[in-house]
């Protein structure tokens, strides 16, 4: 009979996966883009209480490197996205929350990044929380400092993770090899033991038969 906890394991796993899909984590955006490629400009603001209904709109602003003033870049509200500056026309795609006015992920995707895209980006959330007897307005500000380079630079974390991946693969292969040798020796030993037992059984059977034959001869005489 299968234990109850094993029967409940798939259900628990599915519940955990569901909870993970719905979770919100405020992950910082990458800050280095490669010229000529696309780049995901991240901006995430999680609600403090997920059970409270809310609506939000998003505004992006940009200040080129060496300048102090910001100009409107992009907005996203109940009417959809709007590119606010001609320089970014047809170069921005929404990569945030979908099919919901309760926006928590305001990430945008820059197409065909140029060196002129280096600078400071500001992301504003305008969120209204709907409680039973009142509404509460929040304004959240996120800042991303983007640097555009000609060629991607591999960070230390990336190098370490790749090395650890290869070490794990090699270690797994060594462990599998040891397991195979151990299993082969165990099977070989079991085979030899079975052969010895079979030989002993055959010897005893022959000895018993010879004894019976000798006893029959003596009786006959």
């Amino acid at each position: 009979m299968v234990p109850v906890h094993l029967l409940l394991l798939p259900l628990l796993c599915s519940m955990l996966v569901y909870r993970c899909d719905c979770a919100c984590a405020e992950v910082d955006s990458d800050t280095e883009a490669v010229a000529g490629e696309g780049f995901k400009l991240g901006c995430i603001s999680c609600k403090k209480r997920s059970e409270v209904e809310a609506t939000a709109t998003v505004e992006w602003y940009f200040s080129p490197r060496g300048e102090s003033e910001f100009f409107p870049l992009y907005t996203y509200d109940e009417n959809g996205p709007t590119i606010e500056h001609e320089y970014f026309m047809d170069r921005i795609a929404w990569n945030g929350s979908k099919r919901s006015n309760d926006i928590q992920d305001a990430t945008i995707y820059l197409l065909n990044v140029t060196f002129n895209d280096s600078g400071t980006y500001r992301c504003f959330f305008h969120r209204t929380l709907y409680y039973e007897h009142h509404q509460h307005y929040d304004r959240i500000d996120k800042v991303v400092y983007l640097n555009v380079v000609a060629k991607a630079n591999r960070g230390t974390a990336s190098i370490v993770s790749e090395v650890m991946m290869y070490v794990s693969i090699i270690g797994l292969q060594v462990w599998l090899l040891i397991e195979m040798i151990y299993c082969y020796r165990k099977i070989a030993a079991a085979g030899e033991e079975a052969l010895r037992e079979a030989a002993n059984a055959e010897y005893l059977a022959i000895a018993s038969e010879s004894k019976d034959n000798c006893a029959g001869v003596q009786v006959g005489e």
Side-chain angles (χ1 to χ4, degrees), residues 23-95:
C24 175
E26 296 191 9
V27 181
D28 292 335
S29 174
D30 291 334
T31 58
E32 185 177 273
V34 179
E37 299 183 3
F39 179 76
K40 187 167 67 173
L41 200 60
C43 179
I44 301 175
S45 172
C46 301
K47 290 189 305 185
K48 301 300 181 183
R49 298 181 60 181
S50 59
E51 71 276 9
V52 178
E53 293 186 4
T55 58
T57 60
V58 175
E59 295 178 343
W60 276 94
Y61 289 81
F62 174 57
S63 176
R65 176 174 293 173
E67 299 184 14
S68 57
E69 295 185 0
F70 286 83
F71 61 81
L73 169 65
Y74 186 86
T75 59
Y76 191 94
D77 54 26
E78 66 275 5
N79 297 320
T82 302
I83 299 177
E84 301 288 352
H85 197 280
E86 60 181 5
Y87 175 71
F88 288 95
M89 194 63 63
D90 299 326
R91 293 184 53 224
I92 298 180
W94 178 253
N95 200 186

Side-chain angles (χ1 to χ4, degrees), residues 17-173:
V17 171
Y18 175 77
R19 290 178 63 87
C20 291
D21 289 341
C22 298
C24 175
E26 296 191 9
V27 181
D28 292 335
S29 174
D30 291 334
T31 58
E32 185 177 273
V34 179
E37 299 183 3
F39 179 76
K40 187 167 67 173
L41 200 60
C43 179
I44 301 175
S45 172
C46 301
K47 290 189 305 185
K48 301 300 181 183
R49 298 181 60 181
S50 59
E51 71 276 9
V52 178
E53 293 186 4
T55 58
T57 60
V58 175
E59 295 178 343
W60 276 94
Y61 289 81
F62 174 57
S63 176
R65 176 174 293 173
E67 299 184 14
S68 57
E69 295 185 0
F70 286 83
F71 61 81
L73 169 65
Y74 186 86
T75 59
Y76 191 94
D77 54 26
E78 66 275 5
N79 297 320
T82 302
I83 299 177
E84 301 288 352
H85 197 280
E86 60 181 5
Y87 175 71
F88 288 95
M89 194 63 63
D90 299 326
R91 293 184 53 224
I92 298 180
W94 178 253
N95 200 186
S97 301
K98 296 178 175 62
R99 298 182 297 275
S100 174
N101 291 328
D102 185 6
I103 301 172
Q104 299 185 68
D105 184 354
T107 301
I108 58 177
Y109 193 80
L110 298 180
L111 304 173
N112 191 24
V113 174
T114 68
F115 290 103
N116 292 330
D117 294 335
S118 296
T120 305
Y121 293 80
R122 299 186 70 179
C123 169
F124 292 93
F125 282 87
H126 302 277
R127 177 176 291 140
T128 302
L129 302 171
Y130 299 95
Y131 294 94
E132 184 175 357
H133 300 294
H134 71 284
Q135 298 179 5
H136 178 75
Y137 171 75
D138 274 336
R139 182 172 181 260
I140 301 96
D141 182 9
K142 302 279 186 176
V143 179
V144 180
Y145 301 99
L146 181 63
N147 180 42
V148 179
V149 297
K151 185 178 180 180
N153 298 317
R154 295 188 61 189
T156 303
S158 175
I159 297 174
V160 171
S161 62
E162 184 173 349
V163 171
M164 291 303 297
M165 179 187 68
Y166 286 116
V167 170
S168 300
I169 292 174
I170 294 173
L172 180 60
Q173 291 178 343

